[in-house]
């Protein structure tokens, strides 16, 4: 029999398969597809393997085979145990294929729904495969997961990870929190359980972490703003030990995470030679993110940020349309180099492009900011809102008091790491550069200071207390308030 005949015979016989046999068949064919592609890329396949690859990787054949087995499985999914369901999800996700069912249903959603019916039967291995499947779909053009019951399904996965955390491979745990962060899923208990566990073993020589693992766990914490200084300290030790194994992507993600969380200076010093060696192969997104990260850390490394670095930025920017985010980050790096470190920066034409990108981003004043402006008016101060400074930064409110120019930044919760009072890296950088470059006094008015600025529950008295708080903050004399602005 040739390869096609084998497939056709299998399809004909499949109506007599049990759900377990269907699952094994789907899983095996998916494994052949992925391994054939791997062997082809490694140029180590035989003649029969090449014939099988050509058959299975043909889009029409691929759709025919995997759609057929998905449709054969639908009515038997209720017969599945945890292992069968995890195999099914893993198989389809591993080849990036979304089955087309006749009634328009989502096959992976049906698998997830059936998993919820027997959720107590899942062990760590089953959950690991499910996690891989639904994480994989979030990285392709497939749906993120089962949309009709995402909260229940995500909670099911997360709760099992928390309960069985000691049974999971560390790499799976790193990928899990990264996936939850990437999908914007808030599960504090999951992050605490996993990060505590990883923190305890990350520098254990018996446990092998890869650069990908280390960058994912720290990036997950940074995206979700989960504050765990001890984890970052330990990961930094492991990352420095493995620094020669990092590629541009993983180095970028790691340094971005540390800069975003505003912690660990030593890692930037240690990684400077590695970053310098990766410049030629790095993308402009990698380079701009790394430059921004070092600007926040304020770690001076002339051997990295030199003529070669500037030339690489210029070459890579000329080759393609560069996104606003990358140009904006390069602008902040250029400020750091030229204004703070007094060193040469980007070429003038590129500087202009970066400045335009940085100042083109729209600002959206918060309700908190609008309230502060009204209170400033009520104490006789005339604030100018969203003022763009010479540096390009936009200041929430700019006031003049006794000849002094004072910038007021209204810093709500989004400027800080989670529920802590530690500012995010972007906030650290803005505060530093506005004061050092624009030369103005900058006041950070935080949400917690504003909340505790008045103790009274009586409306008029509470207003007076907040007005006094602002006058004291600005060094104003106690003058009669103009309450008309607060009516």
């Amino acid at each position: 029999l040739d390869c096609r005949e084998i497939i056709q015979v299998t399809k004909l016989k499949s109506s007599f398969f049990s759900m377990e046999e269907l699952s094994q068949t789907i899983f095996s064919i998916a494994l052949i597809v992925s391994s054939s592609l791997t062997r082809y890329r490694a140029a180590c396949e035989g003649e029969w393997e090449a014939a099988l690859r050509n058959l299975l990787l043909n889009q029409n054949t691929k759709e025919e085979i995997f759609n057929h087995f998905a449709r054969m499985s639908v009515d038997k999914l209720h017969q599945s145990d945890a292992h069968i369901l995890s195999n099914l999800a893993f198989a389809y996700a591993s080849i990036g294929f979304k089955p087309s069912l006749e009634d328009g249903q989502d096959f992976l959603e049906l698998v997830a729904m059936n998993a919820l019916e027997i959720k107590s039967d899942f062990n760590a291995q089953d959950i690991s495969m499910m996690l891989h499947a639904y994480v994989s779909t979030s990285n392709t053009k497939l749906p993120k997961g089962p949309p009709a019951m995402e909260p229940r399904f995500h909670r099911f996965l997360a709760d099992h990870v928390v309960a069985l955390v000691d049974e999971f491979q560390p790499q799976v745990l790193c990928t899990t929190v990264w996936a939850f962060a990437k999908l914007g899923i808030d599960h504090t208990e999951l992050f605490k359980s996993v990060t505590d566990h990883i923190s305890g073993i990350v520098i254990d020589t018996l446990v092998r972490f890869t650069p990908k693992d280390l960058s994912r766990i720290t990036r997950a914490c940074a995206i979700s703003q989960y504050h765990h200084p001890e984890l970052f300290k330990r990961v930094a030790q492991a990352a420095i030990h493995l620094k020669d194994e990092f590629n541009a992507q993983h180095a970028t993600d790691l340094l971005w995470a540390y800069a975003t969380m505003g912690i660990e200076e030593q890692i930037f010093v240690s990684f400077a030679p590695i970053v310098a060696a990766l410049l030629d192969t790095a993308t402009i997104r990698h380079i701009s993110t790394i430059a921004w990260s070092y600007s926040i850390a304020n770690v001076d490394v002339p051997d990295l940020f030199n003529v070669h670095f500037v030339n690489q930025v210029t070459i890579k920017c000329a080759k393609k349309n560069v996104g606003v985010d990358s140009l904006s980050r390069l602008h902040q790096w250029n400020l750091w180099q030229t204004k703070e470190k007094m060193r040469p920066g980007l070429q003038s034409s590129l500087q202009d492009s970066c400045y335009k990108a940085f100042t083109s981003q729209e600002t959206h004043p918060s309700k908190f900011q609008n309230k502060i402006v009204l209170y400033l008016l009520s104490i006789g101060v005339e604030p100018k809102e969203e003022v763009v400074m010479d540096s390009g930064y936009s200041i929430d409110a700019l006031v003049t008091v006794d000849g002094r120019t004072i910038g007021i930044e209204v810093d709500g919760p989004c400027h800080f790491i989670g529920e802590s009072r530690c500012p995010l890296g972007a906030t650290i950088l803005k505060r530093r550069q506005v004061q050092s470059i624009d030369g103005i006094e900058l006041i950070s008015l935080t949400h917690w200071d504003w909340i505790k600025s008045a103790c009274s529950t009586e409306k008029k008295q509470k207003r007076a207390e907040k007005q006094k708080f602002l006058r004291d903050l600005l060094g104003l004399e106690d003058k009669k308030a103009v309450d008309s602005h607060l009516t």
Side-chain angles (χ1 to χ4, degrees):
L1 291 176
D2 65 20
C3 297
R4 177 166 286 281
E5 288 177 318
I6 293 173
I7 296 296
Q8 292 302 326
V9 170
T10 303
K11 285 177 62 180
L12 287 172
K13 299 283 187 180
S14 63
S15 60
F16 301 104
F17 286 7
S18 67
M19 189 60 242
E20 182 177 7
E21 290 168 334
L22 283 170
S23 172
Q24 289 174 344
T25 304
I26 296 168
F27 186 84
S28 298
I29 297 176
L31 190 62
I32 291 170
V33 170
S34 56
S35 62
S36 294
L37 191 57
T38 300
R39 290 180 64 80
Y40 167 69
R41 287 170 178 164
C44 60
E45 63 178 355
E47 183 178 341
W48 190 87
E49 290 173 311
L52 189 58
R53 173 179 56 78
N54 288 329
L55 170 66
L56 294 177
L57 293 184
N58 177 282
Q59 189 61 30
N60 291 333
T61 307
K62 189 176 175 183
E63 289 180 4
E64 175 191 348
I65 294 170
F66 286 100
N67 278 332
H68 171 80
F69 283 106
R71 290 166 184 168
M72 294 299 300
S73 303
V74 169
D75 292 334
K76 298 180 180 180
L77 279 176
H78 66 281
Q79 302 172 8
S80 305
D81 60 20
H83 183 63
I84 289 173
L85 292 175
S86 60
N87 271 353
L88 281 173
F90 183 91
Y92 279 98
S94 66
I95 59 171
F97 184 77
K98 177 185 176 183
S100 176
L101 302 181
E102 293 175 350
D103 58 1
Q105 293 187 86
D106 186 320
F107 184 69
L108 286 179
E109 181 172 343
L110 293 176
V111 171
M113 290 173 66
N114 279 270
L116 286 174
E117 296 298 320
I118 56 169
K119 59 185 181 182
S120 61
D121 296 341
F122 280 75
N123 59 28
Q125 178 64 29
D126 299 328
I127 292 294
S128 295
M129 294 183 72
M130 276 285 188
L131 284 166
H132 173 85
Y134 289 96
V135 170
S136 295
T137 59
S138 74
N139 288 326
T140 67
K141 294 181 180 178
L142 300 178
K144 290 191 297 186
M149 23 62 76
E150 275 187 359
R152 286 178 59 209
F153 185 67
H154 293 151
R155 189 164 58 249
F156 149 66
L157 293 174
D159 289 348
H160 270 71
V161 173
V162 171
L164 304 171
V165 67
D166 291 333
E167 299 179 28
F168 282 87
Q169 290 294 322
Q171 292 76 12
V172 174
L173 294 175
C174 292
T175 299
T176 300
V177 291
W178 170 80
F180 271 66
K182 189 170 182 285
L183 297 175
I185 304 165
D186 183 19
H187 197 294
T188 303
E189 189 178 358
L190 170 72
F191 270 81
K192 184 179 188 313
S193 177
V194 171
T195 53
D196 284 350
H197 182 78
I198 295 296
S199 180
I201 64 173
V202 72
I203 56 175
D204 186 339
T205 56
L206 298 178
V207 181
R208 174 64 176 171
F209 285 87
T210 67
K212 182 178 181 179
D213 300 328
L214 300 177
S215 65
R216 279 193 162 182
I217 189 71
T218 50
R219 185 171 176 81
C221 289
I223 291 173
S224 301
Q225 295 181 21
Y226 185 77
H227 195 48
H228 200 308
E230 185 60 27
L231 172 72
F232 274 77
K233 179 180 177 181
R234 289 173 176 265
V235 168
Q237 293 175 315
I240 290 171
H241 179 70
L242 296 173
K243 63 181 186 291
D244 292 332
E245 299 178 24
F246 275 75
N247 62 24
Q249 182 64 60
H250 298 145
T252 300
D253 287 346
L254 185 81
L255 295 173
W256 176 86
Y258 277 87
T260 297
M261 302 296 271
I263 53 179
E264 194 59 52
E265 178 180 308
Q266 182 57 40
I267 199 167
F268 290 94
V269 175
S270 298
F271 265 73
I274 304 305
V275 172
L278 293 170
L279 285 180
D280 292 351
T281 57
T283 66
I284 191 61
R285 187 189 67 80
H286 294 146
I287 292 176
S288 63
T289 302
I290 289 171
W292 178 82
S293 301
Y294 273 88
S295 302
I296 291 172
N298 201 19
V299 174
D300 196 14
V301 278
D303 290 341
L304 169 59
F305 299 118
N306 52 24
V307 173
H308 179 65
F309 179 88
V310 172
N311 287 341
Q312 283 298 311
V313 170
T314 304
I315 292 169
K316 293 176 191 294
C317 283
K319 285 184 177 179
K320 59 180 291 186
N321 292 327
V322 183
V324 171
D325 286 346
S326 292
L327 291 174
S328 296
R329 287 174 173 173
L330 286 173
H331 171 73
Q332 290 171 293
W333 173 84
N334 192 65
L335 289 177
W336 178 50
Q337 287 293 291
T338 61
K339 303 297 183 182
E340 294 188 272
K341 298 302 178 184
M342 302 303 173
R343 291 203 178 92
L346 302 173
Q347 294 181 1
S348 58
S349 59
L350 186 53
Q351 286 189 34
D352 292 341
S353 298
C354 292
Y355 178 83
K356 288 176 182 176
F358 187 68
T359 55
S360 69
Q361 301 176 73
E362 290 186 27
T363 56
H364 302 281
S366 64
K367 291 181 179 179
F368 180 27
Q369 182 177 329
N370 291 334
K371 181 182 289 187
I372 296 300
V373 168
L374 291 177
Y375 266 96
L376 289 170
L377 290 167
S378 77
I379 61 173
V381 174
E382 298 288 338
K384 296 178 182 178
E385 297 182 66
E386 300 300 340
V387 178
V388 177
M389 307 300 291
D390 290 342
S391 62
Y393 282 104
S394 177
I395 302 298
D396 292 342
L398 200 65
V399 299
T400 301
V401 177
D402 297 331
R404 296 154 48 219
T405 299
I406 302 174
I408 300 174
E409 281 292 286
V410 183
D411 290 338
C414 65
H415 292 269
F416 301 91
I417 302 171
E419 297 180 357
S420 76
R421 296 191 176 187
C422 300
L424 287 164
T427 300
I428 292 172
L429 183 60
K430 181 176 182 179
R431 288 177 182 177
R432 192 188 79 228
Q433 291 194 324
V434 166
Q435 292 182 92
S436 65
I437 297 170
D438 294 308
I440 65 168
E441 181 181 345
L442 191 67
I443 292 175
S444 170
L445 178 50
T446 65
H447 60 288
W448 61 78
D449 284 333
W450 184 248
I451 290 171
K452 70 179 184 181
S453 63
C455 300
S456 177
T457 57
E458 195 276 318
K459 187 175 181 180
K460 188 173 181 179
Q461 180 60 30
K462 184 177 181 179
R463 180 186 301 169
E465 289 175 359
K466 288 188 176 295
Q467 289 170 332
K468 183 179 185 305
F469 168 77
L470 284 177
R471 284 194 295 269
D472 291 344
L473 191 66
L474 297 172
L476 283 170
E477 294 181 8
D478 192 1
K479 297 178 181 178
K480 185 177 180 181
V482 186
D483 286 342
S484 60
H485 292 286
L486 299 175
T487 56

